[in-house]
Amino acid sequence: MNNKLLGGLFFLCLMLFSCSVKQDVNIASPDSNIQLSFTLDNTGKPHYEVFFKNKKILKKSSLGFDFQDKKSFEDHFEMIKSSKQKFNETWKMPWGEQAEVVNDYNELKLELQEKSALKRKLNIIFKIYNDGVGFRYEFPKQDNLKEVLITEENTEFNLTEDYKTFWTPGDWDIYEHLYSTTKLSEIDAKSYIPKTNLAQSYISENSVNTPVTMVGEDGVHVSFHEAALVDYAGMTLKVDTLNLGLKSSLVGSKNTVYKVKKTLPFHTPWRTIQITDNAPDLIASNLIVNLNEPNKLGDVSWFTPMKYTGVWWEMHLGKSSWDYGMEMEDGVWKDTGKAHGKHGATTENVKQFIDFSSKNNIGGVLVEGWNTGWERWIGFEEREGVFDFLTPYPDYNLDEITAYAKEKGVQIIMHHETSAATATYEKQQDAAYALMQKHGMHAVKSGYVGKILPKGEYHHGQYMVNQYNNAAIKAAKYQVAVNAHEPIKATGLRRTYPNIISREGLRGQEFNAWSQDGGNPPEHLSIVAFTRMLAGPIDFTPGIFNIKFDQYKKDNQVNTTLAHQLALYVVIYSPVQMAADLVEHYEANPAPFQFIKDVGVDWEKTDVLNGEVGDFVTIARKERNTGNWFLGAITDENSRTININFDFLDTDTNYEAILYKDGENAHWNTNPLDLKIEKIEITNQSKLTLKLAEGGGLAISIIKK
Ligand code: NOJ
Ligand code: CA
């Protein structure tokens, strides 16, 4: 062998050697549109980049962790192994926006190890879908790392352009902020001063909460969020306005230096990046649910998706109250006979809701203010021991009501306002859910208003993530489904625990009743549909007919037309959908109420027909079992004309369509009740051009003939 050949062989070996420990790897989505490249740079620091249709969406973004008492996971890594696999399955939603979900991705697993003596290990798993990227860290079992106290996760998402961004501040305690629309470089969460009355709020830095959605000059849409948030802190995204970067910033606690405590082995939630080239595809994306584990509860048919009415809006309007008016006498809270007489949850009042629901194809009645504790709640720091989830007020007969509801074919939805006093709720959970089971109640609305007790914890930190998840897991044992208000964000856990049915986690309808900043502006839900709704079902409580409610609150109103309120039953997805207004307001308006009576709540299929973030959206959904379709369109403060092609309907089928449209002169402020109802016949060949008023909407029921 001559020297030249030897040299060549040596070079080839070197090449092969460096190949076997290759420090950069690429992977693409099944349709090849999304590409991700992972690199360890020459300091052994992990980075990734993301491309969509060959355009760089995320530039070099690094990955790592800081620990309280250990050296950070930052650099000096080498790649021990990388492996790829394909995955494709179709799974069924027990209830949902669609019956079947395709879960199709390519996976890349990177096994990293520190070069230093401790040889600590960290794995990173990327899943590349046609609609985006999910990745998470795995801390595998290892000899030199048993437990970690994470002070920060350092996951970067460095954007390549100054996107138009739809964001809410990175509040550690509440998601009930209005959305701001600014350039990424102009986000200023710290100067965002909520003008409205929030029960709790903590904005620590210039960060945003997720989902945060961005629209690029060339129409690329990107939304950041997380999936499968379990035993970990919620992630906000800190904004670097100069470099157009986002970086994970976990929600902490005043009680510990660390933000997350974990024993190995464990993995983090998925960090998600949804990428599409139009707005409707963001809503159609199933990335978040797909990244969650399959159903662990099995058959949950004891929960049925339903519309519901309830003792609720009347209290937000001030017509009635949650509390009964008990008084303290001789150190005991009791009915001293001086009750103010405004209590809403009386046996008599609830029976009226049951009768109304029963007559109108509405499955449930929510009863807030049924249990003792409300007198002692508001304004009190010491909230532990106040609420009692077993004891009804003297004028509410739980046995009588549940028997009456059963007779009328209606379910009572339980209410547990925990007042964020977690120890009190935890202690009573078993008994409270067992009481529900005894009375055949299968859904609870829970609430976490106010600062968390124990003091120092925040709604979105690891402690509370566990509170919310554990409550839902425990509730499932009693066949109880949960709709939490003041919740932790939705991260697709409904796939794993399908008793997690809905939640608030946004500025809901209630703000229109009492907020001091004019309520939710007409554009609100045209933003929500492309941001908060990507996370999961929303208990927004639509259907306010008495838009101005001057009789109750002169300075407040709903800032949409009546047609817009109807459209929300289709646009905003939830398996529990409230008909939120007072019974008398529905009884006075039977014609538009017919839509609420008819509209479905559980869907075979969803088609997002058009939309632009913050401007408008049209969604059509096919009802399970009946095959009927319902369509909803909403617009922001601008009037616009939309074209609807009904080619999504079944072929060879005739339908009767009832259109609930904004009237000629409709306007969210000057003429919100102007509504025109029209019946026409349509097929899948039909096309319609329709005008939405300022703050307006359109609802159509499309019933098979
Ligand atoms: C806030 C919830 O969002 C609202 O729906 C509920 O009525 C009150 N808390 C009282 O629990
Ligand atoms: Ca709320």
Side-chain angles (χ1 to χ4, degrees):
M1 209 181 281
N2 65 29
N3 277 352
K4 223 173 170 181
L5 198 60
L6 252 182
L9 262 180
F10 178 64
F11 186 66
L12 188 71
C13 281
L14 254 185
M15 287 257 303
L16 280 175
F17 181 69
S18 64
C19 281
S20 64
V21 288
K22 205 167 158 260
Q23 304 296 291
D24 59 316
V25 194
N26 297 331
I27 183 146
S29 55
D31 66 3
S32 301
N33 282 338
I34 298 180
Q35 312 260 348
L36 182 136
S37 71
F38 175 86
T39 331
L40 278 180
D41 69 13
N42 49 19
T43 67
K45 189 176 168 95
H47 296 277
Y48 72 104
E49 290 188 326
V50 176
F51 302 80
F52 178 58
K53 297 189 172 169
N54 297 321
K55 181 191 164 181
K56 194 181 277 191
I57 302 292
L58 293 183
K59 60 191 180 204
K60 218 171 157 200
S61 301
S62 62
L63 302 161
F65 290 88
D66 294 332
F67 306 113
Q68 184 177 322
D69 51 357
K70 294 181 174 74
K71 190 179 163 296
S72 297
F73 266 167
E74 190 184 0
D75 49 19
H76 292 97
F77 281 109
E78 60 184 340
M79 204 186 302
I80 300 304
K81 192 176 163 197
S82 81
S83 48
K84 288 183 184 174
Q85 60 168 325
K86 283 183 169 302
F87 190 86
N88 194 340
E89 66 167 358
T90 300
W91 57 278
K92 282 193 165 38
M93 286 186 151
W95 45 265
E97 304 93 317
Q98 59 200 98
E100 295 195 330
V101 182
V102 175
N103 186 11
D104 181 18
Y105 62 85
N106 290 332
E107 180 184 295
L108 169 65
K109 179 172 181 177
L110 305 155
E111 298 176 38
L112 311 182
Q113 183 174 293
E114 284 179 324
K115 291 178 196 154
S116 59
L118 284 177
K119 297 206 175 310
R120 297 182 304 173
K121 293 179 186 145
L122 176 68
N123 300 339
I124 304 170
I125 322 287
F126 290 97
K127 289 186 178 179
I128 320 296
Y129 291 76
N130 293 340
D131 51 355
V133 173
F135 65 90
R136 76 179 182 195
Y137 303 90
E138 286 182 1
F139 286 64
K141 194 166 184 278
Q142 52 195 286
D143 293 338
N144 294 324
L145 197 58
K146 300 291 175 206
E147 181 190 77
V148 286
L149 304 176
I150 300 173
T151 52
E152 199 52 274
E153 177 184 318
N154 298 315
T155 302
E156 290 181 350
F157 307 91
N158 292 322
L159 282 306
T160 54
E161 75 178 63
D162 197 4
Y163 283 88
K164 181 177 180 185
T165 305
F166 297 83
W167 58 275
T168 55
D171 199 313
W172 287 13
D173 248 336
I174 201 152
Y175 304 114
E176 298 179 14
H177 293 280
L178 281 177
Y179 280 87
S180 296
T181 308
T182 66
K183 291 265 187 199
L184 175 55
S185 63
E186 288 162 359
I187 292 176
D188 190 359
K190 279 297 272 182
S191 76
Y192 179 96
I193 302 161
K195 282 175 255 141
T196 201
N197 24 349
L198 293 172
Q200 69 279 334
S201 172
Y202 178 64
I203 303 167
S204 73
E205 58 193 345
N206 191 23
S207 64
V208 295
N209 256 316
T210 69
V212 56
T213 298
M214 305 185 182
V215 182
E217 294 278 329
D218 56 356
V220 171
H221 288 63
V222 189
S223 188
F224 297 94
H225 190 48
E226 58 184 308
L229 172 54
V230 176
D231 192 15
Y232 201 82
M235 176 182 73
T236 69
L237 295 173
K238 190 171 175 181
V239 187
D240 177 347
T241 51
L242 281 182
N243 298 307
L244 307 178
L246 301 172
K247 193 183 93 43
S248 56
S249 181
L250 301 177
V251 173
S253 157
K254 275 191 201 151
N255 303 324
T256 52
V257 174
Y258 60 82
K259 292 178 168 179
V260 170
K261 179 178 180 175
K262 295 291 294 187
T263 305
L264 276 66
F266 76 93
H267 53 72
T268 67
W270 296 95
R271 278 57 190 97
T272 63
I273 312 157
Q274 281 157 293
I275 310 171
T276 62
D277 48 19
N278 60 70
D281 282 354
L282 277 182
I283 297 177
S285 164
N286 288 307
L287 184 85
I288 308 289
V289 270
N290 271 334
L291 284 164
N292 277 266
E293 288 173 31
N295 184 349
K296 286 189 180 166
L297 300 182
D299 179 18
V300 288
S301 57
W302 40 263
F303 164 72
T304 1
M306 60 181 154
K307 290 170 275 187
Y308 68 99
T309 61
V311 186
W312 181 75
W313 188 240
E314 61 178 78
M315 296 181 296
H316 287 274
L317 290 183
K319 180 188 172 193
S320 69
S321 70
W322 283 272
D323 73 293
Y324 170 88
M326 294 186 113
E327 284 184 302
M328 173 78 91
E329 207 178 72
D330 305 327
V332 184
W333 284 89
K334 54 184 167 191
D335 179 7
T336 61
K338 290 185 212 145
H340 49 51
K342 273 187 83 181
H343 184 220
T346 65
T347 305
E348 200 194 341
N349 193 22
V350 173
K351 278 190 177 171
Q352 283 180 27
F353 280 95
I354 296 172
D355 290 341
F356 180 76
S357 289
S358 168
K359 264 190 267 162
N360 290 297
N361 185 32
I362 293 179
V365 173
L366 165 72
V367 186
E368 294 202 5
W370 69 278
N371 60 326
T372 63
W374 292 86
E375 292 82 0
R376 291 173 278 158
W377 169 31
I378 305 207
F380 289 85
E381 265 297 282
E382 295 315 320
R383 282 162 280 129
E384 291 293 9
V386 163
F387 274 108
D388 177 329
F389 305 99
L390 302 172
T391 310
Y393 277 127
D395 57 352
Y396 184 62
N397 189 328
L398 188 61
D399 293 327
E400 188 182 330
I401 282 294
T402 43
Y404 188 75
K406 199 168 168 207
E407 190 190 309
K408 298 275 176 170
V410 169
Q411 281 200 35
I412 297 296
I413 300 179
M414 179 44 96
H415 185 236
H416 292 164
E417 175 51 70
T418 71
S419 73
T422 57
T424 301
Y425 190 44
E426 223 184 300
K427 224 181 284 161
Q428 294 184 51
Q429 269 164 8
D430 278 299
Y433 300 146
L435 178 76
M436 289 180 60
Q437 195 171 32
K438 182 180 138 206
H439 285 95
M441 299 182 191
H442 290 291
V444 63
K445 169 177 170 180
S446 56
Y448 294 80
V449 172
K451 284 204 165 88
I452 298 293
L453 292 178
K455 283 184 182 153
E457 300 300 342
Y458 297 94
H459 278 70
H460 311 153
Q462 186 182 16
Y463 173 83
M464 281 309 292
V465 166
N466 288 333
Q467 282 288 321
Y468 293 112
N469 290 348
N470 292 343
I473 292 167
K474 184 169 279 180
K477 295 197 182 126
Y478 298 88
Q479 300 198 330
V480 166
V482 180
N483 165 20
H485 279 227
E486 298 77 49
I488 187 64
K489 61 179 117 178
T491 58
L493 273 177
R494 64 174 158 142
R495 180 179 179 193
T496 316
Y497 303 103
N499 72 319
I500 302 180
I501 46 174
S502 195
R503 79 190 71 210
E504 190 186 40
L506 87 167
R507 232 172 101 115
Q509 184 88 276
E510 62 186 25
F511 278 79
N512 291 325
W514 40 251
S515 82
Q516 297 140 0
D517 59 4
N520 302 331
E523 67 165 4
H524 185 52
L525 290 146
S526 305
I527 303 179
V528 164
F530 298 99
T531 50
R532 160 68 182 85
M533 199 167 83
L534 306 187
I538 304 177
D539 189 34
F540 181 75
T541 64
I544 299 304
F545 278 22
N546 188 334
I547 300 260
K548 298 266 182 182
F549 49 85
D550 283 344
Q551 186 191 347
Y552 297 106
K553 303 246 178 138
K554 272 226 158 319
D555 299 333
N556 295 87
Q557 69 171 72
V558 171
N559 300 313
T560 74
T561 66
L562 177 54
H564 183 120
Q565 286 294 308
L566 294 178
L568 295 178
Y569 287 89
V570 187
V571 170
I572 300 301
Y573 172 67
S574 174
V576 283
Q577 199 70 283
M578 189 171 202
D581 209 341
L582 311 181
V583 166
E584 55 263 37
H585 295 158
Y586 290 139
E587 281 175 339
N589 295 285
F593 184 70
Q594 187 64 40
F595 182 77
I596 298 184
K597 220 167 146 172
D598 293 340
V599 69
V601 269
D602 196 21
W603 310 106
E604 180 73 33
K605 222 175 147 215
T606 285
D607 274 354
V608 187
L609 304 182
N610 56 43
E612 293 294 347
V613 189
D615 297 339
F616 69 101
V617 59
T618 307
I619 301 181
R621 304 192 196 263
K622 184 181 190 180
E623 191 181 21
R624 290 195 194 181
N625 303 322
T626 67
N628 294 329
W629 285 80
F630 295 88
L631 181 146
I634 55 169
T635 178
D636 60 4
E637 69 283 4
N638 299 306
S639 159
R640 64 186 85 232
T641 300
I642 54 164
N643 298 313
I644 301 172
N645 184 340
F646 289 89
D647 59 359
F648 55 84
L649 295 175
D650 296 354
T651 47
D652 304 324
T653 310
N654 293 322
Y655 297 88
E656 179 182 77
I658 310 175
L659 281 67
Y660 301 79
K661 336 185 261 188
D662 289 321
E664 290 282 296
N665 301 312
H667 181 283
W668 65 270
N669 193 26
T670 56
N671 202 2
L673 301 180
D674 188 9
L675 180 86
K676 206 167 160 201
I677 302 174
E678 200 183 318
K679 259 187 205 169
I680 54 170
E681 288 200 9
I682 57 170
T683 67
N684 77 333
Q685 302 295 306
S686 306
K687 290 188 172 89
L688 287 177
T689 299
L690 291 148
K691 196 186 144 219
L692 309 181
E694 289 91 340
L698 162 76
I700 314 182
S701 45
I702 308 167
I703 312 294
K704 270 190 183 165
K705 289 188 58 142

